[in-house]
Amino acid sequence: SAERFSVDVNEWYGEAKFDIMRPHRGCMDSASKIRTALQGSKFAISQSKKGNAAAASSEEEVSEAVKATRMVPQYHGPSKDMIHSNCATLELEMNCSEWNDGVELDDTIACLALQSILNGAVSLLDGSKSRSSTSSGEEGEVQSTVVSDLFSLSQLLSTTVSELKVVLEEEAKIGLNFITAEIEKETIEAKKKEEEKRKRAEAHAAKAGGGDAKADKDEFAGKSEAQIAKILKKRAEKEAKAAAKKAKKGGGTTAGAAGEVIITASSIFGVGTSLISAKLTTNPSLTPDTVSDLTSILENLLSGGIQRKPKIAKGTRDYLPDQMAIRDKAFQIIRRVFKSHGAVEIDTPVFELKD
């Protein structure tokens, strides 16, 4: 949605806005994930920077959707923290409760926890509805409903979560359609550029006339067939390397059959968007397995696992938990023996100057 509404990632999700000015844990976590997913995107910039006056002038029509997209960290982060903490409270409360005949269980803590979880789910639901532009003016209905008993709260929460799943799937569908449309648009533009380039080359060749043939003849004058074949082979290899380098630099722009230009999602969208969209294309339903896969994608992006492969420095090694337990026990014995003989500890830097 941030790319669909051209929300500037640095302006609305930047470190200065959250890590420095509003260092709330949930907000910082949410903004960090968005920044990582949108890295390299050509769409997550403001319309003024893109020079798209038509889209900028229509901002009033989608102001609620744009606002909800810009403010995702402010309500998504705290809602996630609220849901997680109250789920832990609810789990503890349920494990501590024991049924006894004639004794009425006090469900105050469970009701408060469920109400907080419900508030968080409603906040996420309202945000997704606004981003999908499907708000019908009824999103406040759940929030304004006063429910005090545990059973009614549970039913209301179940209904809200089911609706949240449906709305999120609809938002994902809208996003996938946007990605497909933009890829087709970029492909058409790339084909036009290639066609213009080909026509210019043909015009240049026609203008040169027969001079090229004469130049080629003079170039290979006095050379044997084997020498000419060797020169042409080297030129072909050089052109192939240049084409491969250009395709790699394009970040996802490749050539298909007969030189056809193909644009991929990774060439114009954020690195996270291309990976997430590929997963949702194969399985658009937010099943537990799909959610787990999407979570893994974000974790890999945040850890750098997709962008880099960490290597162990030469002469060092990793210690696994079992090895660390043995190592720690050995060091405890060594420290105890040394201290019993009056030794004291010092700590020196891990690295030192060479000279």
Side-chain angles (χ1 to χ4, degrees), residues 4-5 61-62 65 127-136 174:
R4 184 158 53 92
F5 294 120
E61 300 175 8
V62 292
S128 185
K129 280 185 174 181
S130 297
R131 296 192 302 271
S132 304
S133 300
T134 58
S135 300
S136 59
I174 294 172

Side-chain angles (χ1 to χ4, degrees), residues 120-343:
V122 168
S123 178
L124 297 176
L125 175 61
D126 290 348
S128 185
K129 280 185 174 181
S130 297
R131 296 192 302 271
S132 304
S133 300
T134 58
S135 300
S136 59
E138 299 176 356
E139 59 263 34
E141 184 178 341
V142 175
Q143 205 166 9
S144 62
T145 303
V146 179
V147 181
S148 57
D149 63 288
L150 195 61
F151 179 73
S152 299
L153 275 171
S154 302
Q155 285 189 316
L156 191 56
L157 178 59
S158 178
T159 302
T160 304
V161 171
S162 297
E163 186 180 0
L164 174 61
K165 179 176 178 292
V166 172
V167 175
L168 284 173
E169 289 175 348
E170 179 63 25
E171 182 183 2
K173 183 179 178 181
I174 294 172
L176 290 175
N177 291 338
F178 171 75
I179 291 173
T180 302
E182 289 300 325
I183 290 176
E184 291 178 355
K185 189 187 299 182
E186 289 286 333
T187 301
I188 293 172
E189 291 295 326
K191 286 181 178 179
K192 285 183 179 178
K193 290 181 180 179
E194 287 295 322
E195 182 65 19
E196 291 174 359
K197 184 179 179 182
R198 183 185 64 80
K199 288 181 178 180
R200 285 197 300 267
E202 289 178 354
H204 179 73
K207 186 177 180 181
D212 291 343
K214 185 178 179 181
D216 292 340
K217 187 176 180 181
D218 294 338
E219 182 183 0
F220 297 121
K223 291 183 173 63
S224 64
E225 293 293 334
Q227 289 175 325
I228 294 174
K230 187 176 181 180
I231 292 171
L232 293 176
K233 183 181 178 182
K234 285 185 177 180
R235 286 182 182 177
E237 291 176 352
K238 187 176 180 181
E239 289 175 359
K241 287 182 179 179
K245 186 177 181 181
K246 184 179 179 182
K248 185 177 181 181
K249 187 177 180 181
T253 305
T254 59
E260 181 184 1
V261 177
I262 301 174
I263 303 294
T264 59
S266 59
S267 63
I268 55 178
F269 289 97
V271 60
T273 303
S274 59
L275 295 170
I276 292 171
S277 62
K279 181 62 186 177
L280 291 176
T281 300
T282 57
N283 188 6
S285 179
L286 294 178
T287 62
D289 290 339
T290 302
V291 173
S292 177
D293 291 340
L294 295 178
T295 303
S296 298
I297 289 174
L298 282 175
E299 289 176 350
N300 288 333
L301 283 172
L302 290 169
S303 65
I306 294 178
Q307 303 174 39
R308 63 175 177 83
K309 293 182 178 180
K311 296 181 180 180
I312 301 174
K314 187 177 181 180
T316 63
R317 57 172 296 185
D318 289 333
Y319 289 95
L320 300 178
D322 293 341
Q323 296 171 316
M324 278 301 299
I326 298 173
R327 191 169 182 264
D328 186 55
K329 187 175 181 180
F331 273 107
Q332 288 180 6
I333 296 173
I334 293 171
R335 286 192 180 93
R336 187 173 65 251
V337 172
F338 271 66
K339 286 183 178 181
S340 66
H341 290 81

Side-chain angles (χ1 to χ4, degrees), residues 1-8 43-47 50 55 70:
S1 293
E3 291 174 300
R4 184 158 53 92
F5 294 120
S6 298
V7 176
D8 193 328
F43 294 92
I45 58 176
S46 63
Q47 292 293 341
K50 292 174 68 176
R70 289 172 176 173

Side-chain angles (χ1 to χ4, degrees), residues 47 52-62:
Q47 292 293 341
N52 193 340
S57 62
S58 63
E59 187 171 348
E60 292 182 0
E61 300 175 8
V62 292

